[in-house]
């Protein structure tokens, strides 16, 4: 059964009386994401007024207590404490995997003026500690500035790729519920991508929430670089990056601008939203001005460009079309350079969903060879491709010398 009585706002009154019981579980438990076949109970009571009141709430599912809260307040201030068991509900299980099985929430306030209060808030879980402190005006429903600190001990639990360690943000939150600005300094420890590691990446970051749209601007400088391979050589000891993106009301992400500048390569791009239809676009380019900085024995330049688009359909992938070319080009691998020649060309078409880039076609044309491939690349670095190639001799394959035409296939 469910019984509820609610009265909010009449002469500043606050009244809530809710009782629910499901002896064998049922629809109420299921709608909250809890086990529908376990005994369920809910008791929530709030009484008093906006200036003087009390709150008690408790939910049980089987032997577990997925939610509890207690609080009291007067004109002089107050305090509310709550605990949420994130693993118990399917709606919060993803948060449990990222931050821990339970979250503790504390909010307190102390009056400084007629409608001005000093506010302290904390959200704590195994992998998250978020605090806020500062003035809040209850009449204007705004703040001139809350000092905010957030620490995530292991970012890899929040976003598996690229691999990241501890993340920290310190800044100031200001504004009202419909117009919020957060600005400060962020840093990430132990960043790793494709055998390229940075001990630290840090820089300024700002977030603006307005008109149901969130816009983030961030820049970072890396330090403590190590690793091997092409990505490590391109990034070098102290890469820098900038990005501006917006989270749109429909959940899509618009990358407005981005750039990454490393020792041997530069990537930049800009995006927008179509005036008619609302589709998203993004165009970018990669420039390697001197292959010698990327590989021993390399020479010449490498340039690539791409354009991407995403429709308004729910879950629609990003689709990419790209091309690249070398000029006076050499990789430093003699046998490969012999078949590629000084002006190789590459083109491709791909789709990106989740952490997988699916290539419908990739074509490489060199002076003595041509290759076509299709397959997948995951952001963890794993590859799965089918390849077909042909080459015109004479050319060397290791200790062998081939004369005439050669073809092959592989995965």
């Amino acid at each position: 059964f469910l019984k509820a009585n609610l009265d909010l706002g009449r002469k500043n009154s606050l009244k809530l009386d809710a009782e629910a019981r499901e002896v064998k579980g049922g629809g109420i438990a299921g709608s909250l994401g809890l086990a529908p076949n376990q005994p369920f109970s809910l008791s929530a009571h709030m009484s008093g007024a906006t200036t003087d009141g009390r709150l008690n709430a408790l939910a049980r599912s089987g032997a577990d207590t997925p939610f509890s809260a207690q609080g009291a307040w007067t004109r002089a201030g107050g305090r509310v404490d709550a605990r949420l068991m994130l693993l118990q509900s399917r709606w919060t299980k993803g948060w449990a995997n990222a931050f821990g099985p339970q979250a503790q929430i504390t909010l307190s306030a102390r009056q400084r003026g007629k409608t001005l209060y000093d506010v302290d808030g904390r959200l704590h879980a195994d992998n998250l500690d978020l605090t806020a402190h500062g003035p809040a005006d209850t009449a204007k429903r705004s703040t001139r500035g809350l000092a905010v600190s957030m620490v995530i001990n292991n970012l890899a639990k929040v976003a598996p790729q690229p691999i990241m360690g501890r993340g920290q943000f310190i800044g100031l939150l200001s504004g009202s519920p419909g117009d919020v600005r957060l600005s400060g300094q962020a840093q990430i420890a132990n960043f790793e991508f494709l055998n390229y590691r940075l001990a630290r990446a840090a820089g300024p970051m700002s977030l603006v929430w307005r008109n149901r749209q969130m816009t983030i601007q961030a820049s970072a400088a890396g330090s403590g670089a190590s690793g091997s391979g092409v990505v490590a050589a391109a990034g070098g000891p102290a890469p820098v990056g900038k990005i501006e993106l917006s989270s749109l009301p429909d959940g899509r992400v618009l990358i407005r601008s981005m750039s990454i500048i490393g020792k041997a390569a530069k990537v930049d791009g800009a995006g927008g939203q179509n005036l008619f239809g609302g589709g998203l676009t993004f165009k970018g380019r990669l420039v390697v001005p001197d292959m010698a900085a990327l590989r021993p024995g390399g020479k010449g330049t490498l340039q690539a460009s791409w354009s991407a688009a995403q429709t308004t359909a729910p879950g629609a992938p990003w689709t990419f079309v790209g091309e690249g070319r070398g000029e006076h080009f050499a990789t430093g691998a003699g046998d490969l350079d012999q078949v590629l020649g000084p002006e190789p060309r590459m083109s491709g078409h791909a789709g990106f969903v989740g952490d997988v880039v699916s290539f419908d076609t990739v074509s490489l044309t060199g002076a003595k060879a041509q290759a076509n491939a299709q397959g997948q690349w995951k952001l963890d670095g794993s590859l799965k491709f089918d390849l077909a190639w042909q080459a015109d001799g004479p050319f060397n394959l290791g200790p062998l010398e081939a004369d005439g035409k050669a073809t092959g296939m592989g995965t």
Side-chain angles (χ1 to χ4, degrees):
F1 71 89
L2 171 65
K3 294 181 179 179
N5 180 21
L6 178 65
D7 180 7
L8 298 177
R10 186 173 57 190
K11 296 182 179 180
N12 293 324
S13 65
L14 294 174
K15 184 175 179 60
L16 169 65
D17 289 298
E19 294 284 344
R21 296 284 189 278
E22 291 178 328
V23 177
K24 297 182 180 181
I28 299 175
S31 67
L32 296 174
L34 303 172
N37 58 351
Q38 293 291 319
F40 170 77
S41 65
L42 171 67
S43 176
H45 301 279
M46 182 167 56
S47 60
T50 55
T51 56
D52 191 350
R54 300 185 67 84
L55 166 68
N56 282 283
L58 183 69
R60 295 187 182 278
S61 176
D64 299 316
T65 304
F67 176 74
S68 63
Q70 309 83 35
W73 58 90
T74 67
R75 286 187 181 276
R79 180 184 174 105
V80 175
D81 295 279
R83 187 183 70 166
L84 186 63
M85 305 295 290
L86 301 175
L87 272 176
Q88 306 307 317
S89 171
R90 68 177 183 272
W91 305 124
T92 57
K93 192 163 291 186
W95 295 352
N97 296 333
F99 300 117
Q102 71 176 20
Q104 301 276 355
I105 303 169
T106 301
L107 179 64
S108 63
R110 185 177 69 256
Q111 189 176 34
R112 286 179 53 187
K114 185 176 180 180
T115 61
L116 190 63
Y117 288 80
D118 276 330
V119 175
D120 282 286
R122 185 184 186 193
L123 169 61
H124 176 75
D126 288 349
N127 196 36
L128 171 67
D129 196 34
L130 173 65
T131 62
H133 169 75
D137 192 317
T138 57
K140 297 180 180 178
R141 300 179 64 207
S142 65
T143 175
R144 296 194 305 270
L146 294 176
V148 174
S149 172
M150 180 173 67
V151 174
I152 299 176
N153 296 316
N154 187 355
L155 283 166
K157 292 184 177 181
V158 181
Q161 293 294 333
I163 297 172
M164 295 177 284
R166 188 176 189 266
Q168 183 176 359
F169 175 84
I170 298 176
L172 199 67
L173 176 71
S174 60
S176 57
D179 188 357
V180 178
R181 180 176 181 84
L182 177 65
S183 59
Q185 295 286 323
Q187 67 176 26
I188 296 171
N190 301 323
F191 175 94
E192 181 175 347
F193 182 62
L194 297 179
N195 293 323
Y196 179 45
R197 293 173 291 277
L198 294 172
R200 183 174 181 266
M205 174 181 173
S206 68
L207 180 153
V208 175
W209 169 262
R210 185 178 296 130
N211 298 326
R212 298 175 55 239
Q213 180 171 297
M214 181 171 65
T215 298
I216 297 174
Q217 292 180 317
S219 62
S223 60
S226 63
S228 60
V230 173
V231 176
V240 295
K242 294 182 179 181
I243 191 167
E244 179 180 356
L245 58 86
S246 295
S247 177
L248 305 181
D250 61 9
R252 293 178 300 156
V253 176
L254 167 61
I255 303 176
R256 298 185 181 276
S257 64
M258 62 84 67
S259 69
I260 302 173
I261 301 175
K263 177 183 178 182
K266 177 182 179 181
V267 180
D268 58 38
Q273 186 172 17
N274 295 332
L275 182 61
F276 302 103
L280 303 183
T281 61
F282 183 76
K283 295 182 178 181
R285 63 173 184 162
L286 162 70
V287 177
V288 179
D290 185 359
M291 285 292 296
L294 199 61
R295 281 183 57 89
K299 65 179 182 179
T301 64
L302 175 65
Q303 297 186 48
S305 62
W306 68 89
S307 62
Q310 184 186 45
T311 69
T312 58
W318 279 94
T319 57
F320 290 80
V321 176
E323 61 180 10
R325 69 183 188 276
E327 294 183 359
H328 310 292
F329 178 86
T331 66
D335 294 346
L336 180 61
D337 290 334
Q338 185 182 182
V339 296
L340 288 180
E343 296 182 351
R345 298 288 187 269
M346 176 179 280
S347 62
H349 183 278
F352 177 45
V353 177
D355 65 343
V356 178
V357 182
S358 299
F359 291 87
D360 301 324
T361 177
V362 178
S363 298
L364 173 63
T365 302
K368 295 184 178 182
Q370 182 174 357
N372 295 287
Q374 61 180 20
Q376 292 184 337
W377 171 51
K378 291 188 176 181
L379 295 186
D380 63 5
S382 60
L383 297 170
K384 184 179 180 181
F385 275 83
D386 295 321
L387 173 68
W389 61 271
Q390 66 179 35
D392 297 322
F395 57 88
N396 296 322
L397 294 172
L400 304 177
E401 181 175 335
D403 191 9
K405 290 187 176 182
T407 61
M409 300 182 68
T411 56

